[in-house]
Amino acid sequence: MGTELLAPLDLAFWHLESDAHPMHLGALAVFSPPPAPAPGVDAEAALELLGTRAAAIPRLRMRVRDVLLPVGGAAWSVDKDFDVYRHVKRVRLPQGEVDPAGGGFMAGATRLAGELMEQPLERGLPPWQMYVISGADDGPFAVLVKLHHALADGMRAVAIGAGIFDEIASVGARARGGASTRLARPVPPRSWMPGPRQVAGFALGRIEDLGRAFGVGASVVRASRLDLRGAPALTATSSGTRRLATTDLDAEAVGRIRRIVGGTTNDVLLGVVAGALRRWMLERGDRLPDADPRALVPVSRRRPGAAATGNRLSAYLLGLPVSEADPWNRLRAVRTAMDRNKAAGPLRGAGAVAVLADQLPSLAHRFGAPLAGSAARMLFDVLVTSVPLPRSALSLGGCPLQAIYPMAPLARGQSLAVALSTYSGRVHIGLVADGKAVPDLERLARCAEDELRELLALMPADQGARLSEDVRL
């Protein structure tokens, strides 16, 4: 793999980063020992296996370097001094946090993952890290994956990270072993001078792009808020610290609620997040904000089957109805707002601000990214993203994957990011927060469980039928 210019949005993420705002995605994958007598690896063997498999993924050998042209640009290039064990490391939990039953291990692994997530990736190396977090030699272990947002969006991160699992790695190994040696059909030489049709097509394309950018820009301006007073915990000054919390919801229960209210599973989960935020604010004694907090809900622009190169993102803006006391009305409000967003499409509205990155020159990203990052508070208060995962059961070295908690970066001016993934019948929620602004993040995780529990308790058959009829209206 040779040199490749960073796509505009990748470049924006690269320049958005600061020591207090590292721009990497993450995931905490938890593995259990295989049931006897099935063979499996321990944490030390998992480290060796991770190193071998990560080294076989070409993208993970690439680092970012500056280029002369375009001015302000950067490119991916192969790290000629690549050493996988500068990226794959083992970290042991203190003895007091090791619990053979797994409960203490999970709490310790989450705490340690938070400390590791607040550390920026070294920019002179390929921008990723993997840590094997272990306790007792015969107990569960976890793998924390950190990938810079310039390297991957959510879907691409899944594609890259999936290469460490037994099921995907074995397919890749067979493909590499059976690769055809047949020479590719020669491509006729092409002139570097574009023809008249190419020039006309390029000009028309630029006019369409500029028109779209103007429309998105106008939407951004209209949606920007000059009054930034919102929920205090969501807009606190950044301390640069990170705290993580995790929770699990029953995917089948979420599906039952979706069948009543309609919409999508993601709509229901957004409603659960809104309810959890309301509960959390009230429990900690906060006054509910005058205006509902806004969520930025990323949307992939990647076409099915398209090459997984560069970030391809847009987003929707969604007011989270924390002021609404009734849980079912919150769900209806979320579904109505998301239906409106989807009708407009991911390339319209202020949430499509990421699309503007495609229209800006490299120099604008280099000098304008910090300013744009500081203005994020004017658009949204919290990031809520869903990350798709393979539906099949996964393992590492024969050790089954029990749970995987995605983690999203925090933008400047935000104190909380929520990421959700469904795997093995559970919705796994990863919460990332500024450690000083949100010291009680575990309480928010518990509030998500309480919200789903109340929705289920308020779901008798007659109410379900009535609500379904109301939604159709």
Side-chain angles (χ1 to χ4, degrees), residues 59-344:
R59 176 59 63 176
L60 296 185
R61 292 176 170 267
M62 306 292 282
R63 67 180 185 90
V64 177
R65 64 175 180 83
D66 292 337
V67 295
L68 294 175
L69 292 175
V71 177
W76 294 105
S77 62
V78 176
D79 182 1
K80 296 179 181 179
D81 300 319
F82 178 77
D83 178 359
V84 73
Y85 290 105
R86 298 176 74 176
H87 302 267
V88 178
K89 302 175 182 179
R90 182 182 178 186
V91 185
R92 291 178 174 85
L93 291 176
Q95 190 62 36
E97 297 185 6
V98 176
D99 177 5
F105 168 78
M106 190 61 208
T110 304
R111 177 198 59 77
L112 182 56
E115 296 177 3
L116 295 170
M117 282 294 288
E118 71 183 43
Q119 300 172 9
L121 295 163
E122 187 173 342
R123 291 173 75 87
L125 299 174
W128 64 275
Q129 290 279 355
M130 295 183 190
Y131 298 90
V132 177
I133 301 174
S134 62
D137 289 339
D138 58 348
F141 65 91
V143 174
L144 174 66
V145 180
K146 293 168 55 175
L147 298 172
H148 199 285
H149 213 331
L151 181 67
D153 55 22
M155 291 185 67
R156 195 179 188 195
V158 170
I160 293 174
I164 71 172
F165 294 111
D166 297 338
E167 295 74 15
I168 289 88
S170 61
V171 171
R174 288 197 299 270
R176 289 189 298 272
S180 172
T181 58
R182 185 179 60 184
L183 293 176
R185 182 177 300 175
V187 178
R190 296 174 58 186
S191 170
W192 63 271
M193 289 289 289
R197 290 186 179 180
Q198 291 173 293
V199 171
F202 176 78
L204 181 60
R206 291 303 297 167
I207 291 172
E208 292 174 347
D209 289 344
L210 290 173
R212 182 174 63 185
F214 180 81
V216 174
S219 298
V220 171
V221 172
R222 288 194 299 268
S224 298
R225 303 168 297 180
L226 297 180
D227 185 355
L228 300 181
R229 292 173 298 176
L234 300 182
T235 56
T237 302
S238 174
S239 67
T241 61
R242 292 292 179 270
R243 189 176 185 89
L244 305 184
T246 62
T247 190
D248 302 80
L249 303 179
D250 183 356
E252 195 276 331
V254 173
R256 295 208 315 267
I257 294 171
R258 183 198 63 78
R259 287 191 289 274
I260 291 176
V261 300
T264 67
T265 297
N266 199 49
D267 294 345
V268 175
L269 292 174
L270 288 167
V272 170
V273 170
L277 285 173
R278 175 187 169 86
R279 291 170 180 273
W280 175 64
M281 292 175 187
L282 293 176
E283 281 188 14
R284 70 204 312 257
D286 289 351
R287 182 177 64 88
L288 292 177
D290 296 331
D292 287 334
R294 283 179 175 177
L296 186 74
V297 184
V299 180
S300 176
R301 295 168 54 212
R302 199 179 303 283
R303 296 177 180 176
T309 56
N311 279 274
R312 299 287 295 168
L313 291 173
S314 183
Y316 297 133
L317 284 181
L318 171 70
L320 295 172
V322 301
S323 57
E324 172 57 59
D326 183 87
W328 288 104
N329 285 340
R330 285 196 293 270
L331 288 180
R332 288 196 291 179
V334 167
R335 184 193 169 185
T336 299
M338 288 301 290
D339 283 349
R340 190 181 305 118
N341 277 331
K342 293 167 190 173

